[in-house]
Amino acid sequence: MEPVNILKTEILSDNWYTLKKVSFEMTGNNGVKSILEREAYDRGNGATILLYNQQSKKIVLTRQFRIPTFINGNDTGYLIECCAGLLDEDNPEDCIRRETEEETGFRIARVEKVFEAYMSPGSVTERLYFFVAAYSHEMKRHNGGGLQEENEDIEVLELPFERALEMITTGEIKDGKTIMLLQYAQLKGLML
């Protein structure tokens, strides 16, 4: 395959994150060169984690309001999710340790990276790093809830693992990264 040649990049919005319009030339599978335009939303890369406790067979998730889901059919706008956050200037491991303590109140030392994925590659540049970590109540430093200066209002949920899996089927959990990590935990037998 021939390389893609970026012809022009135009910033359409630089408010919350950056929306770019990219003009590029590429050669298709049929050998024909085309000039195309696409929009790409750049919000930076992120990390997410599933906290699990083998003894109690419980996991830690969060619930928070997400405006894009509200305007697209989620009546309350609230989603149940794994803890997650943007990398900012951190590496993925440091980011997820920081986010875990900010959002859930648990200070974890050891995290295990399980995979990484582009979550919406047709329009969003973000690459998400997925982690799992064991937790215990001795690791709890505070109640969590996120940072007030970032206007975070996060509810911390401790749920039985089997109940969380059921919540995928019932539609109570609709967040892609959370579904992926719960299914990873099930496939790998993390709760055995």
Side-chain angles (χ1 to χ4, degrees):
M1 288 192 126
E2 292 185 35
V4 172
N5 182 23
I6 303 291
L7 303 173
K8 180 181 176 186
T9 301
E10 178 185 352
I11 295 178
L12 301 178
S13 176
D14 193 13
N15 187 10
W16 190 249
Y17 300 112
T18 306
L19 178 61
K20 298 176 183 178
K21 182 168 134 184
V22 181
S23 301
F24 58 98
E25 180 182 59
M26 70 176 292
T27 304
N29 291 330
N30 60 4
V32 176
K33 285 190 178 199
S34 299
I35 294 178
L36 303 166
E37 288 185 339
R38 298 290 186 270
E39 292 178 3
Y41 192 56
D42 185 356
R43 61 183 307 270
N45 294 325
T48 185
I49 192 165
L50 178 66
L51 298 178
Y52 67 95
N53 184 302
Q54 286 180 327
Q55 287 72 37
S56 68
K57 307 290 187 227
K58 291 187 176 181
I59 59 165
V60 173
L61 298 176
T62 63
R63 182 189 341 252
Q64 60 184 308
F65 183 78
R66 300 295 196 180
I67 189 67
T69 74
F70 183 73
I71 61 176
N72 191 24
N74 180 359
D75 292 339
T76 67
Y78 283 88
L79 274 190
I80 296 173
E81 310 174 40
C82 286
C83 169
L86 293 177
L87 299 186
D88 298 324
E89 300 300 316
D90 286 338
N91 65 53
E93 292 85 3
D94 290 341
C95 165
I96 204 56
R97 283 186 194 94
R98 180 191 73 239
E99 289 292 332
T100 298
E101 188 165 349
E102 288 174 6
E103 291 188 6
T104 71
F106 287 96
R107 183 175 296 159
I108 54 172
R110 188 179 166 279
V111 298
E112 178 186 350
K113 180 183 170 197
V114 294
F115 54 86
E116 54 190 74
Y118 291 97
M119 297 300 291
S120 189
S123 59
V124 181
T125 62
E126 179 185 40
R127 179 171 33 185
L128 198 56
Y129 297 86
F130 288 75
F131 294 89
V132 295
Y135 79 94
S136 68
H137 286 282
E138 292 76 34
M139 297 174 176
K140 189 84 167 172
R141 297 296 180 257
H142 56 84
N143 290 332
L147 297 178
Q148 202 165 26
E149 61 265 22
E150 292 181 8
N151 295 313
E152 293 179 320
D153 184 17
I154 299 169
E155 180 184 358
V156 180
L157 307 172
E158 188 176 32
L159 301 169
F161 179 65
E162 290 300 322
R163 173 68 182 118
L165 291 174
E166 290 169 9
M167 293 169 76
I168 296 170
T169 304
T170 64
E172 295 167 86
I173 292 179
K174 293 181 180 167
D175 175 63
K177 67 185 177 298
T178 304
I179 293 169
M180 291 166 73
L181 279 172
L182 288 170
Q183 290 180 339
Y184 173 87
Q186 184 178 35
L187 286 170
K188 295 296 183 178
L190 292 184
M191 298 304 250
L192 297 177

Short mmCIF file of all heavy atoms in Angstrom, two decimals, residues 86-136:
data_model
loop_
_atom_site.label_atom_id
_atom_site.label_comp_id
_atom_site.label_asym_id
_atom_site.label_seq_id
_atom_site.Cartn_x
_atom_site.Cartn_y
_atom_site.Cartn_z
N LEU A 86 -8.20 11.03 30.53
CA LEU A 86 -7.24 11.39 29.48
C LEU A 86 -5.82 11.34 30.03
O LEU A 86 -5.57 11.66 31.20
CB LEU A 86 -7.54 12.79 28.95
CG LEU A 86 -8.86 12.93 28.19
CD1 LEU A 86 -9.08 14.38 27.78
CD2 LEU A 86 -8.88 12.02 26.97
N LEU A 87 -4.88 10.98 29.16
CA LEU A 87 -3.49 10.86 29.58
C LEU A 87 -2.89 12.20 29.97
O LEU A 87 -2.01 12.26 30.83
CB LEU A 87 -2.63 10.26 28.46
CG LEU A 87 -2.98 8.86 27.99
CD1 LEU A 87 -1.92 8.38 26.99
CD2 LEU A 87 -3.12 7.88 29.12
N ASP A 88 -3.33 13.28 29.35
CA ASP A 88 -2.69 14.58 29.51
C ASP A 88 -1.21 14.39 29.17
O ASP A 88 -0.89 13.95 28.10
CB ASP A 88 -2.93 15.15 30.91
CG ASP A 88 -4.43 15.38 31.17
OD1 ASP A 88 -5.14 15.77 30.23
OD2 ASP A 88 -4.88 15.15 32.30
N GLU A 89 -0.31 14.67 30.08
CA GLU A 89 1.13 14.50 29.80
C GLU A 89 1.68 13.22 30.41
O GLU A 89 2.88 12.96 30.33
CB GLU A 89 1.91 15.71 30.32
CG GLU A 89 1.50 17.03 29.69
CD GLU A 89 1.70 17.07 28.18
OE1 GLU A 89 2.76 16.60 27.69
OE2 GLU A 89 0.79 17.55 27.48
N ASP A 90 0.84 12.42 31.06
CA ASP A 90 1.30 11.21 31.74
C ASP A 90 1.43 10.03 30.78
O ASP A 90 0.81 10.01 29.71
CB ASP A 90 0.30 10.79 32.83
CG ASP A 90 0.36 11.68 34.05
OD1 ASP A 90 1.40 12.33 34.27
OD2 ASP A 90 -0.64 11.73 34.78
N ASN A 91 2.18 9.02 31.21
CA ASN A 91 2.14 7.76 30.49
C ASN A 91 0.86 7.04 30.93
O ASN A 91 0.25 7.41 31.94
CB ASN A 91 3.41 6.93 30.73
CG ASN A 91 3.56 6.48 32.17
OD1 ASN A 91 2.64 5.89 32.75
ND2 ASN A 91 4.70 6.75 32.77
N PRO A 92 0.40 6.03 30.19
CA PRO A 92 -0.88 5.40 30.52
C PRO A 92 -0.96 4.84 31.95
O PRO A 92 -2.00 4.97 32.60
CB PRO A 92 -1.00 4.28 29.48
CG PRO A 92 -0.21 4.78 28.32
CD PRO A 92 0.95 5.53 28.92
N GLU A 93 0.12 4.23 32.44
CA GLU A 93 0.08 3.63 33.79
C GLU A 93 -0.08 4.70 34.87
O GLU A 93 -0.87 4.54 35.80
CB GLU A 93 1.34 2.81 34.05
CG GLU A 93 1.45 1.55 33.21
CD GLU A 93 2.06 1.80 31.82
OE1 GLU A 93 2.45 2.95 31.50
OE2 GLU A 93 2.11 0.84 31.04
N ASP A 94 0.70 5.79 34.77
CA ASP A 94 0.57 6.87 35.76
C ASP A 94 -0.80 7.53 35.68
O ASP A 94 -1.39 7.86 36.70
CB ASP A 94 1.68 7.91 35.56
CG ASP A 94 3.05 7.39 35.93
OD1 ASP A 94 3.14 6.38 36.67
OD2 ASP A 94 4.05 7.99 35.48
N CYS A 95 -1.28 7.71 34.46
CA CYS A 95 -2.60 8.31 34.28
C CYS A 95 -3.68 7.49 34.98
O CYS A 95 -4.49 8.03 35.72
CB CYS A 95 -2.93 8.41 32.78
SG CYS A 95 -4.67 8.73 32.43
N ILE A 96 -3.67 6.17 34.76
CA ILE A 96 -4.77 5.38 35.30
C ILE A 96 -4.67 5.25 36.82
O ILE A 96 -5.69 5.18 37.50
CB ILE A 96 -4.90 4.01 34.59
CG1 ILE A 96 -6.35 3.50 34.74
CG2 ILE A 96 -3.90 3.00 35.10
CD1 ILE A 96 -7.41 4.44 34.22
N ARG A 97 -3.48 5.27 37.37
CA ARG A 97 -3.35 5.30 38.84
C ARG A 97 -3.94 6.60 39.39
O ARG A 97 -4.67 6.58 40.38
CB ARG A 97 -1.88 5.17 39.25
CG ARG A 97 -1.34 3.77 39.15
CD ARG A 97 0.09 3.70 39.73
NE ARG A 97 0.72 2.47 39.35
CZ ARG A 97 1.51 2.32 38.28
NH1 ARG A 97 1.80 3.35 37.52
NH2 ARG A 97 2.04 1.15 38.00
N ARG A 98 -3.60 7.73 38.76
CA ARG A 98 -4.12 9.04 39.20
C ARG A 98 -5.63 9.08 39.09
O ARG A 98 -6.33 9.47 40.03
CB ARG A 98 -3.48 10.15 38.34
CG ARG A 98 -3.96 11.55 38.71
CD ARG A 98 -3.54 12.61 37.70
NE ARG A 98 -4.34 12.47 36.49
CZ ARG A 98 -3.86 12.25 35.28
NH1 ARG A 98 -2.57 12.12 35.09
NH2 ARG A 98 -4.67 12.13 34.23
N GLU A 99 -6.15 8.68 37.92
CA GLU A 99 -7.60 8.72 37.71
C GLU A 99 -8.34 7.79 38.67
O GLU A 99 -9.42 8.12 39.14
CB GLU A 99 -7.93 8.35 36.26
CG GLU A 99 -7.54 9.40 35.24
CD GLU A 99 -8.35 10.68 35.34
OE1 GLU A 99 -9.52 10.63 35.79
OE2 GLU A 99 -7.81 11.73 34.97
N THR A 100 -7.77 6.63 38.94
CA THR A 100 -8.41 5.69 39.86
C THR A 100 -8.58 6.31 41.23
O THR A 100 -9.65 6.22 41.84
CB THR A 100 -7.59 4.38 39.94
OG1 THR A 100 -7.54 3.78 38.66
CG2 THR A 100 -8.21 3.41 40.94
N GLU A 101 -7.53 6.97 41.73
CA GLU A 101 -7.65 7.58 43.05
C GLU A 101 -8.61 8.77 43.03
O GLU A 101 -9.43 8.92 43.95
CB GLU A 101 -6.28 8.00 43.58
CG GLU A 101 -6.37 8.46 45.02
CD GLU A 101 -5.03 8.54 45.71
OE1 GLU A 101 -4.02 8.06 45.17
OE2 GLU A 101 -5.00 9.09 46.83
N GLU A 102 -8.54 9.61 42.00
CA GLU A 102 -9.43 10.76 41.92
C GLU A 102 -10.90 10.33 41.84
O GLU A 102 -11.74 10.89 42.53
CB GLU A 102 -9.11 11.61 40.68
CG GLU A 102 -7.82 12.39 40.79
CD GLU A 102 -7.46 13.11 39.47
OE1 GLU A 102 -8.29 13.09 38.52
OE2 GLU A 102 -6.36 13.66 39.40
N GLU A 103 -11.19 9.36 40.99
CA GLU A 103 -12.58 8.99 40.73
C GLU A 103 -13.15 8.00 41.74
O GLU A 103 -14.32 8.10 42.10
CB GLU A 103 -12.72 8.41 39.32
CG GLU A 103 -12.51 9.43 38.23
CD GLU A 103 -12.85 8.92 36.85
OE1 GLU A 103 -13.37 7.78 36.73
OE2 GLU A 103 -12.60 9.66 35.88
N THR A 104 -12.34 7.03 42.17
CA THR A 104 -12.89 5.97 43.04
C THR A 104 -12.42 6.06 44.49
O THR A 104 -13.00 5.42 45.36
CB THR A 104 -12.51 4.57 42.52
OG1 THR A 104 -11.10 4.36 42.71
CG2 THR A 104 -12.89 4.41 41.05
N GLY A 105 -11.33 6.78 44.73
CA GLY A 105 -10.78 6.86 46.08
C GLY A 105 -9.79 5.77 46.41
O GLY A 105 -9.18 5.77 47.47
N PHE A 106 -9.60 4.80 45.51
CA PHE A 106 -8.67 3.70 45.75
C PHE A 106 -7.28 4.06 45.23
O PHE A 106 -7.14 4.49 44.08
CB PHE A 106 -9.14 2.41 45.07
CG PHE A 106 -10.31 1.76 45.74
CD1 PHE A 106 -11.60 1.99 45.29
CD2 PHE A 106 -10.12 0.94 46.84
CE1 PHE A 106 -12.69 1.39 45.91
CE2 PHE A 106 -11.20 0.34 47.48
CZ PHE A 106 -12.49 0.57 47.01
N ARG A 107 -6.27 3.87 46.06
CA ARG A 107 -4.87 4.07 45.63
C ARG A 107 -4.29 2.69 45.31
O ARG A 107 -4.07 1.88 46.20
CB ARG A 107 -4.04 4.73 46.72
CG ARG A 107 -2.60 4.99 46.23
CD ARG A 107 -1.79 5.76 47.25
NE ARG A 107 -2.37 7.09 47.41
CZ ARG A 107 -2.16 7.85 48.48
NH1 ARG A 107 -1.41 7.42 49.48
NH2 ARG A 107 -2.71 9.05 48.56
N ILE A 108 -4.08 2.45 44.04
CA ILE A 108 -3.57 1.16 43.60
C ILE A 108 -2.12 1.33 43.15
O ILE A 108 -1.73 2.36 42.62
CB ILE A 108 -4.42 0.57 42.46
CG1 ILE A 108 -4.56 1.57 41.32
CG2 ILE A 108 -5.78 0.14 42.96
CD1 ILE A 108 -5.20 1.02 40.08
N ALA A 109 -1.33 0.32 43.38
CA ALA A 109 0.08 0.37 42.99
C ALA A 109 0.31 -0.42 41.71
O ALA A 109 0.94 0.05 40.77
CB ALA A 109 0.96 -0.17 44.11
N ARG A 110 -0.20 -1.62 41.66
CA ARG A 110 0.06 -2.52 40.53
C ARG A 110 -1.13 -2.53 39.57
O ARG A 110 -2.26 -2.82 39.96
CB ARG A 110 0.31 -3.94 41.04
CG ARG A 110 0.77 -4.88 39.98
CD ARG A 110 1.05 -6.28 40.54
NE ARG A 110 1.16 -7.24 39.48
CZ ARG A 110 0.15 -7.81 38.84
NH1 ARG A 110 -1.09 -7.52 39.19
NH2 ARG A 110 0.35 -8.67 37.86
N VAL A 111 -0.86 -2.18 38.32
CA VAL A 111 -1.87 -2.25 37.27
C VAL A 111 -1.34 -3.17 36.18
O VAL A 111 -0.14 -3.29 35.97
CB VAL A 111 -2.22 -0.86 36.68
CG1 VAL A 111 -2.81 0.04 37.74
CG2 VAL A 111 -1.01 -0.22 36.02
N GLU A 112 -2.26 -3.83 35.48
CA GLU A 112 -1.88 -4.72 34.38
C GLU A 112 -2.53 -4.22 33.09
O GLU A 112 -3.76 -4.17 32.99
CB GLU A 112 -2.34 -6.14 34.68
CG GLU A 112 -2.02 -7.12 33.58
CD GLU A 112 -2.62 -8.50 33.81
OE1 GLU A 112 -3.13 -8.77 34.91
OE2 GLU A 112 -2.58 -9.30 32.86
N LYS A 113 -1.70 -3.85 32.14
CA LYS A 113 -2.23 -3.45 30.83
C LYS A 113 -2.67 -4.71 30.09
O LYS A 113 -1.92 -5.68 30.01
CB LYS A 113 -1.18 -2.71 30.01
CG LYS A 113 -1.70 -2.27 28.66
CD LYS A 113 -0.63 -1.60 27.84
CE LYS A 113 -1.15 -1.40 26.42
NZ LYS A 113 -0.07 -1.13 25.49
N VAL A 114 -3.89 -4.68 29.56
CA VAL A 114 -4.41 -5.87 28.89
C VAL A 114 -4.53 -5.70 27.38
O VAL A 114 -4.42 -6.67 26.64
CB VAL A 114 -5.74 -6.36 29.52
CG1 VAL A 114 -5.48 -6.84 30.94
CG2 VAL A 114 -6.80 -5.29 29.51
N PHE A 115 -4.77 -4.49 26.90
CA PHE A 115 -4.79 -4.21 25.46
C PHE A 115 -4.99 -2.72 25.26
O PHE A 115 -5.16 -1.96 26.22
CB PHE A 115 -5.85 -5.02 24.71
CG PHE A 115 -7.26 -4.90 25.24
CD1 PHE A 115 -8.10 -3.87 24.85
CD2 PHE A 115 -7.76 -5.86 26.12
CE1 PHE A 115 -9.39 -3.79 25.33
CE2 PHE A 115 -9.05 -5.78 26.60
CZ PHE A 115 -9.87 -4.74 26.21
N GLU A 116 -4.96 -2.30 24.01
CA GLU A 116 -5.30 -0.92 23.66
C GLU A 116 -6.18 -0.96 22.41
O GLU A 116 -6.11 -1.91 21.64
CB GLU A 116 -4.06 -0.06 23.45
CG GLU A 116 -3.06 -0.58 22.47
CD GLU A 116 -1.75 0.18 22.48
OE1 GLU A 116 -0.97 0.02 23.44
OE2 GLU A 116 -1.52 0.94 21.52
N ALA A 117 -7.01 0.08 22.24
CA ALA A 117 -7.95 0.07 21.12
C ALA A 117 -8.33 1.49 20.73
O ALA A 117 -8.35 2.40 21.57
CB ALA A 117 -9.22 -0.70 21.51
N TYR A 118 -8.63 1.66 19.44
CA TYR A 118 -9.27 2.88 18.94
C TYR A 118 -10.77 2.64 19.10
O TYR A 118 -11.31 1.69 18.55
CB TYR A 118 -8.91 3.12 17.48
CG TYR A 118 -7.46 3.49 17.27
CD1 TYR A 118 -6.53 2.53 16.90
CD2 TYR A 118 -7.03 4.80 17.45
CE1 TYR A 118 -5.20 2.86 16.70
CE2 TYR A 118 -5.70 5.14 17.26
CZ TYR A 118 -4.79 4.17 16.89
OH TYR A 118 -3.47 4.51 16.71
N MET A 119 -11.43 3.51 19.83
CA MET A 119 -12.82 3.25 20.18
C MET A 119 -13.84 3.72 19.14
O MET A 119 -14.93 3.16 19.05
CB MET A 119 -13.14 3.89 21.54
CG MET A 119 -12.32 3.29 22.68
SD MET A 119 -12.59 1.53 22.88
CE MET A 119 -14.26 1.55 23.48
N SER A 120 -13.51 4.74 18.39
CA SER A 120 -14.42 5.23 17.35
C SER A 120 -13.57 5.75 16.18
O SER A 120 -13.52 6.94 15.92
CB SER A 120 -15.32 6.34 17.92
OG SER A 120 -16.33 6.67 17.02
N PRO A 121 -12.88 4.83 15.48
CA PRO A 121 -11.85 5.23 14.52
C PRO A 121 -12.36 5.96 13.28
O PRO A 121 -11.56 6.54 12.55
CB PRO A 121 -11.19 3.90 14.13
CG PRO A 121 -12.22 2.87 14.38
CD PRO A 121 -13.01 3.37 15.57
N GLY A 122 -13.65 5.98 13.06
CA GLY A 122 -14.18 6.72 11.91
C GLY A 122 -14.20 8.21 12.12
O GLY A 122 -14.29 8.98 11.16
N SER A 123 -14.10 8.66 13.39
CA SER A 123 -14.22 10.10 13.63
C SER A 123 -13.39 10.63 14.79
O SER A 123 -13.18 11.84 14.88
CB SER A 123 -15.69 10.47 13.88
OG SER A 123 -16.18 9.76 15.00
N VAL A 124 -12.91 9.77 15.68
CA VAL A 124 -12.19 10.22 16.87
C VAL A 124 -10.78 9.62 16.86
O VAL A 124 -10.62 8.42 16.61
CB VAL A 124 -12.94 9.82 18.16
CG1 VAL A 124 -12.21 10.30 19.40
CG2 VAL A 124 -14.36 10.38 18.14
N THR A 125 -9.78 10.46 17.14
CA THR A 125 -8.38 10.00 17.09
C THR A 125 -7.96 9.19 18.31
O THR A 125 -6.96 8.50 18.28
CB THR A 125 -7.41 11.20 16.98
OG1 THR A 125 -7.56 12.03 18.14
CG2 THR A 125 -7.67 12.00 15.71
N GLU A 126 -8.71 9.25 19.39
CA GLU A 126 -8.31 8.67 20.68
C GLU A 126 -7.96 7.18 20.61
O GLU A 126 -8.71 6.38 20.06
CB GLU A 126 -9.45 8.85 21.68
CG GLU A 126 -9.13 8.25 23.04
CD GLU A 126 -10.30 8.31 24.00
OE1 GLU A 126 -11.45 8.09 23.56
OE2 GLU A 126 -10.07 8.59 25.18
N ARG A 127 -6.81 6.88 21.22
CA ARG A 127 -6.42 5.48 21.49
C ARG A 127 -6.57 5.29 22.99
O ARG A 127 -6.09 6.09 23.78
CB ARG A 127 -4.98 5.22 21.06
CG ARG A 127 -4.55 3.80 21.34
CD ARG A 127 -3.22 3.45 20.74
NE ARG A 127 -2.30 4.57 20.70
CZ ARG A 127 -1.11 4.54 20.14
NH1 ARG A 127 -0.68 3.45 19.56
NH2 ARG A 127 -0.34 5.60 20.15
N LEU A 128 -7.25 4.23 23.38
CA LEU A 128 -7.53 3.97 24.79
C LEU A 128 -6.72 2.77 25.26
O LEU A 128 -6.70 1.73 24.61
CB LEU A 128 -9.03 3.70 24.96
CG LEU A 128 -9.63 3.83 26.35
CD1 LEU A 128 -9.39 5.20 26.96
CD2 LEU A 128 -11.13 3.56 26.29
N TYR A 129 -6.04 2.94 26.40
CA TYR A 129 -5.25 1.88 27.02
C TYR A 129 -6.10 1.24 28.11
O TYR A 129 -6.61 1.94 28.99
CB TYR A 129 -3.96 2.46 27.61
CG TYR A 129 -3.07 3.06 26.55
CD1 TYR A 129 -3.24 4.38 26.14
CD2 TYR A 129 -2.07 2.31 25.95
CE1 TYR A 129 -2.43 4.93 25.16
CE2 TYR A 129 -1.25 2.85 24.98
CZ TYR A 129 -1.44 4.17 24.58
OH TYR A 129 -0.64 4.71 23.60
N PHE A 130 -6.24 -0.08 28.07
CA PHE A 130 -7.12 -0.82 28.98
C PHE A 130 -6.28 -1.53 30.04
O PHE A 130 -5.30 -2.21 29.71
CB PHE A 130 -7.93 -1.85 28.21
CG PHE A 130 -9.00 -1.26 27.34
CD1 PHE A 130 -8.69 -0.63 26.15
CD2 PHE A 130 -10.33 -1.34 27.72
CE1 PHE A 130 -9.68 -0.10 25.34
CE2 PHE A 130 -11.33 -0.80 26.92
CZ PHE A 130 -11.01 -0.18 25.73
N PHE A 131 -6.70 -1.40 31.31
CA PHE A 131 -6.00 -1.99 32.44
C PHE A 131 -6.98 -2.73 33.33
O PHE A 131 -8.17 -2.45 33.34
CB PHE A 131 -5.32 -0.90 33.29
CG PHE A 131 -4.22 -0.17 32.59
CD1 PHE A 131 -4.48 0.96 31.84
CD2 PHE A 131 -2.91 -0.62 32.68
CE1 PHE A 131 -3.46 1.65 31.19
CE2 PHE A 131 -1.88 0.05 32.04
CZ PHE A 131 -2.16 1.19 31.29
N VAL A 132 -6.44 -3.66 34.13
CA VAL A 132 -7.15 -4.27 35.23
C VAL A 132 -6.25 -4.18 36.45
O VAL A 132 -5.02 -4.11 36.33
CB VAL A 132 -7.55 -5.75 34.96
CG1 VAL A 132 -8.55 -5.83 33.82
CG2 VAL A 132 -6.34 -6.61 34.69
N ALA A 133 -6.87 -4.18 37.64
CA ALA A 133 -6.11 -4.17 38.88
C ALA A 133 -6.96 -4.73 40.00
O ALA A 133 -8.17 -4.46 40.08
CB ALA A 133 -5.66 -2.75 39.25
N ALA A 134 -6.32 -5.50 40.86
CA ALA A 134 -7.00 -5.99 42.06
C ALA A 134 -7.08 -4.85 43.07
O ALA A 134 -6.19 -4.00 43.14
CB ALA A 134 -6.23 -7.17 42.65
N TYR A 135 -8.17 -4.82 43.82
CA TYR A 135 -8.32 -3.81 44.87
C TYR A 135 -8.77 -4.49 46.16
O TYR A 135 -9.32 -5.59 46.15
CB TYR A 135 -9.31 -2.72 44.46
CG TYR A 135 -10.76 -3.12 44.61
CD1 TYR A 135 -11.48 -2.81 45.77
CD2 TYR A 135 -11.42 -3.81 43.60
CE1 TYR A 135 -12.81 -3.18 45.90
CE2 TYR A 135 -12.75 -4.19 43.73
CZ TYR A 135 -13.44 -3.87 44.89
OH TYR A 135 -14.75 -4.25 45.03
N SER A 136 -8.52 -3.80 47.26
CA SER A 136 -9.04 -4.22 48.56
C SER A 136 -9.46 -2.95 49.29
O SER A 136 -9.05 -1.84 48.94
CB SER A 136 -7.97 -4.96 49.36
OG SER A 136 -6.93 -4.08 49.72
#
